[in-house]
Amino acid sequence: MLAQVLRRLALLVAAPLLLILAAPAQAVTSLPPVTPAPAPPAPTPPPPAPAPPAAVAPARLMSEVVTMTNQQRHANGCRLLTVSHDLTLASVRQSLYMARTGLFTHVWRDGSTFVTRAHAAGYRQPSGENIAWGYQTAADVMAAWMASPHHRENILNCGAHSIGTGVVYAANGIPYYTEVFGWD
C-alpha cells in the first residue's frame, strides 16, 4: 500500500515537469512584417425597424375579457358571471398549451377537452369554452367571438354563472385566448 502511495506521489510531482518537457518548441521565423491593407469604411447600418406594438399584460387582457363578456351579457338580459379560480386555471392551461404547441384546438393531443381540464382544475360543471389567437386587444377578440354564432351562444348562455379567462403569449408574441364558462 505504501508503494502505491509513493508511486502516485511521484506522478503528481513529475506531471508538471512532463507537461513542460512535452510542450512544442517555439518556431522562429525571419519573415518581414506584413503591412495590412487599409480597411474599407464600415457600411452604414440600416435604420432600426419600427418597434412592434407593446404587448398588453396577460392579466389585463384577462380582466378586460371578463368585463366585456359581462357587458355583453348585461346588454342581452343575462346575469353577470363571477370569476372562478378553477376555471381561470383551466383557461390559462388551455392558452398555455396552444401557445407552446402552436395548435389552435379545443382538444389536446392526449384527448382532453375543456370538460376534463376544468375537472382537473377542480371545477365540476363547465358549460362551454371559447378560444382565439392573434388578436392584440380584448375588444378585438370579443368582437370576433360575438360575430361567431357558437362563441356568441357561449357568452350569452344565461344559464352559466361562472367564468375563467386565460391569455398566454407564444414565444413569437402571438396571444392565445381562452374563456371557460361554468354552471356553478
Side-chain angles (χ1 to χ4, degrees), residues 42-69:
T44 306
V56 179
R60 179 175 170 190
L61 289 172
M62 291 163 61
S63 177
E64 290 174 355
V65 167
V66 170
T67 299
M68 292 178 190
T69 296

Side-chain angles (χ1 to χ4, degrees), residues 26-34:
Q26 296 291 330
V28 178
T29 61
S30 59
L31 296 176
V34 177

Side-chain angles (χ1 to χ4, degrees), residues 54 56 61 64-65 68 134-143 169 175 177:
V56 179
L61 289 172
E64 290 174 355
V65 167
M68 292 178 190
Y135 296 96
Q136 296 303 310
T137 68
D140 289 343
V141 76
M142 284 303 299
Y169 286 93
Y177 295 80

Side-chain angles (χ1 to χ4, degrees), residues 143-165:
W145 281 336
M146 291 305 290
S148 164
H150 294 296
H151 296 99
R152 180 183 180 89
E153 182 181 331
N154 282 338
I155 292 169
L156 300 181
N157 179 342
C158 292
H161 296 108
S162 301
I163 187 172
T165 59

Side-chain angles (χ1 to χ4, degrees), residues 11-161:
L11 284 174
L12 287 174
V13 171
L17 183 60
L18 291 173
L19 289 174
I20 291 170
L21 294 175
Q26 296 291 330
V28 178
T29 61
S30 59
L31 296 176
V34 177
T35 306
T44 306
V56 179
R60 179 175 170 190
L61 289 172
M62 291 163 61
S63 177
E64 290 174 355
V65 167
V66 170
T67 299
M68 292 178 190
T69 296
N70 275 331
Q71 288 169 343
Q72 289 293 334
R73 289 173 62 83
H74 179 72
N76 287 277
C78 295
R79 67 179 263 178
L80 302 182
L81 299 169
T82 58
V83 175
S84 161
H85 171 76
D86 296 337
L87 290 180
T88 299
L89 181 59
S91 296
V92 169
R93 286 177 179 166
Q94 168 65 7
S95 292
L96 182 61
Y97 175 83
M98 293 187 298
R100 282 187 177 167
T101 63
L103 298 175
F104 181 65
T105 179
H106 290 280
V107 180
W108 289 7
R109 288 180 178 150
D110 67 2
S112 67
T113 66
F114 78 94
V115 173
T116 54
R117 292 188 295 273
H119 289 172
Y123 194 87
R124 294 292 149 223
Q125 294 185 348
S127 63
E129 176 183 70
N130 289 345
I131 60 174
W133 67 278
Y135 296 96
Q136 296 303 310
T137 68
D140 289 343
V141 76
M142 284 303 299
W145 281 336
M146 291 305 290
S148 164
H150 294 296
H151 296 99
R152 180 183 180 89
E153 182 181 331
N154 282 338
I155 292 169
L156 300 181
N157 179 342
C158 292
H161 296 108

